[in-house]
Amino acid sequence: MIKDNLASVQARINKVNHTQVVTLIAVSKTKSASDVQQAIDAGQRHFGENYLQEALDKIAALENAKVCWHFIGPIQSNKTKQIAQNFDWVHSVDRLKIAKRLNDQRPDNKGKLNVLLQVNIDNEPTKSGVLPEEVDEVVTQIKSLDKLSLKGFMCIPNPDHSRISFTKMAEIGKKYPCLDALSMGMSHDLELAVQNGATFVRVGSDIFGQRD
Ligand SMILES: *Cc1c(COP(=O)(O)O)cnc(C)c1O
């Protein structure tokens, strides 16, 4: 079933995508290592996790699998060390302080940590991320951190108007031609995100089923 779900999500992406390379991230938060293993067996390589402790358990359980782990959840300062040690990508860098800590704590033997700057695209007080008008300054500062490789941007728009927000995010992204990764789109809005230039979509429930 996970295998069929992956195929149908991939087909939805392919149906609307005629331009960019889109990487599907299977968001496995709250799901078991054996669910992740089923997805791996079906050929899935990129996984997204929100909660550090359960992610570390799965990473350990699947240590021999050739997969790429993406941290996509809110980051507290006291979690940065283990994130820097165990993940390949971090999508949810939402302030300079977190970027600096990840940079300082990235192990030397691991190569640069790929990061995306999370943008609070709708200026919502309850959401994480830098405001659109702060992007320029924070990009410059993160670029100076030598253990991080800044690749682009991530956003979680207000679902009431995600089309407008995805367009806005894409417009900001275009100002930085070297930062060409855009992480946006989830189960309910992945088509809109892809049509607006997403290069990563993060899909959980449409692959693994509803979360408890
Ligand atoms: C849970 C989560 C997703 C996946 O959401 P679905 O609606 O289950 O596809 C994507 N991105 C983030 C940041 C999430 O927390």
Side-chain angles (χ1 to χ4, degrees), residues 13 22-26 182 184-185 190 193-194 198-203:
I13 295 169
V22 180
T23 299
L24 170 59
I25 298 179
L182 269 188
M184 54 189 201
L190 70 90
V194 169
T199 64
F200 287 112
V201 292
R202 312 176 307 266
V203 179

Side-chain angles (χ1 to χ4, degrees), residues 67-85:
V67 298
C68 189
W69 292 100
H70 299 250
F71 195 84
I72 64 171
I75 304 179
Q76 296 159 281
S77 295
N78 64 351
K79 302 285 165 62
T80 51
K81 186 169 186 182
Q82 285 179 302
I83 293 172
Q85 289 171 338

Side-chain angles (χ1 to χ4, degrees), residues 27 29 50 72 154 156 186-188 202-205 211:
V27 176
K29 64 180 177 215
N50 290 55
I72 64 171
M154 179 268 224
I156 308 173
M186 325 204 308
S187 292
H188 66 280
R202 312 176 307 266
V203 179
S205 39
R211 291 176 291 274

Side-chain angles (χ1 to χ4, degrees), residues 89-94 113-119 130 135 138-139 142-143 148-155 169 172-174 176-184 199-200:
W89 285 78
V90 180
H91 293 224
S92 42
V93 174
D94 63 348
L113 177 62
N114 299 303
V115 300
L116 303 178
L117 180 60
Q118 182 170 354
V119 179
V130 302
V135 166
V138 183
V139 162
I142 294 181
K143 275 184 172 170
L148 303 187
S149 180
L150 179 62
K151 300 290 193 187
F153 304 97
M154 179 268 224
C155 69
M169 185 71 257
I172 293 174
K174 279 185 199 138
Y176 305 91
C178 298
L179 306 181
D180 55 8
L182 269 188
S183 170
M184 54 189 201
T199 64
F200 287 112

Side-chain angles (χ1 to χ4, degrees), residues 39-71:
I40 295 170
D41 293 343
Q44 179 64 27
R45 287 294 167 264
H46 292 265
F47 293 89
E49 289 282 343
N50 290 55
Y51 310 113
L52 183 61
Q53 193 51 55
E54 62 151 309
L56 294 178
D57 293 344
K58 280 175 250 185
I59 291 171
L62 298 162
E63 69 175 339
N64 295 321
K66 291 258 179 303
V67 298
C68 189
W69 292 100
H70 299 250
F71 195 84

